[in-house]
């Protein structure tokens, strides 16, 4: 992804008639060695990140139930769930009561 972005880099030029990268007088941007080096470094960085993420620190067996072993975070999570359940919803308001203030100036002639 990074390499294609670098390869698509070009300097701003005035308007070209027709397609800039096709035809007899096409313009191909010059890619500097530093751009190539940065693209390769980014690819290497992405590859190392993928390798690290594919090899987790904990195994599946160790990962199962580790929150119970910690204790406190699990209690905090349970308290948050209970608080969400106990939240009070606002009372229902009918449309008639909601728009009651609009009838204040109405009067019979």
């Amino acid at each position: 992804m990074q390499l294609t972005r670098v390869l698509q880099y070009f300097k701003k030029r005035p308007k070209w008639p027709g397609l800039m990268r096709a035809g007899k007088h096409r313009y191909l941007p010059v890619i500097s060695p530093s751009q190539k080096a940065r693209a390769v470094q980014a690819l290497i960085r992405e590859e190392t990140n993928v390798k690290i993420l594919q090899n987790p620190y904990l195994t599946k067996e160790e990962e199962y139930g580790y929150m119970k072993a910690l204790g406190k975070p699990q209690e905090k999570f349970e308290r948050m769930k209970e608080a969400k359940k106990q939240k009070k919803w606002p009372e229902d308001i009918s449309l008639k009561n909601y728009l009651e203030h609009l009838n204040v100036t109405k009067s019979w002639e």
Side-chain angles (χ1 to χ4, degrees):
M1 187 167 100
Q2 298 288 336
L3 184 61
T4 56
R5 192 169 73 190
V6 170
L7 292 175
Q8 292 173 352
Y9 171 80
F10 63 92
K11 293 181 181 177
K12 295 208 178 221
R13 304 279 183 191
K15 286 273 186 172
W16 294 73
L19 297 175
M20 197 163 86
R21 299 177 196 267
K24 184 177 177 183
H25 301 289
R26 74 182 95 176
Y27 168 74
L28 297 174
V30 179
I31 299 171
S32 67
S34 63
Q35 289 175 321
K36 289 180 185 178
R38 279 188 301 211
V40 169
Q41 287 173 354
L43 288 172
I44 291 170
R45 190 180 325 119
E46 286 180 17
E47 188 176 320
T48 54
N49 287 343
V50 168
K51 282 182 183 177
I52 290 170
L53 292 173
Q54 284 177 346
N55 300 321
Y57 181 73
L58 297 176
T59 63
K60 293 273 186 185
E61 294 80 22
E62 291 172 335
E63 188 177 347
Y64 179 75
Y66 80 100
M67 285 294 280
K68 287 182 182 176
L70 292 177
K72 287 184 180 179
Q74 184 68 21
E75 292 171 9
K76 184 178 179 182
F77 180 68
E78 293 296 331
R79 277 189 270 127
M80 286 171 50
K81 276 176 50 176
E82 290 298 323
K84 278 187 180 179
K85 285 181 184 177
Q86 293 176 357
K87 274 190 180 174
K88 291 186 177 179
W89 290 89
E91 294 180 11
D92 291 336
I93 300 173
S94 66
L95 190 59
K96 181 181 176 185
N97 293 342
Y98 187 72
L99 300 175
E100 191 69 35
H101 67 281
L102 298 176
N103 293 331
V104 172
T105 58
K106 253 188 194 176
S107 60
W108 293 94
E109 293 183 7

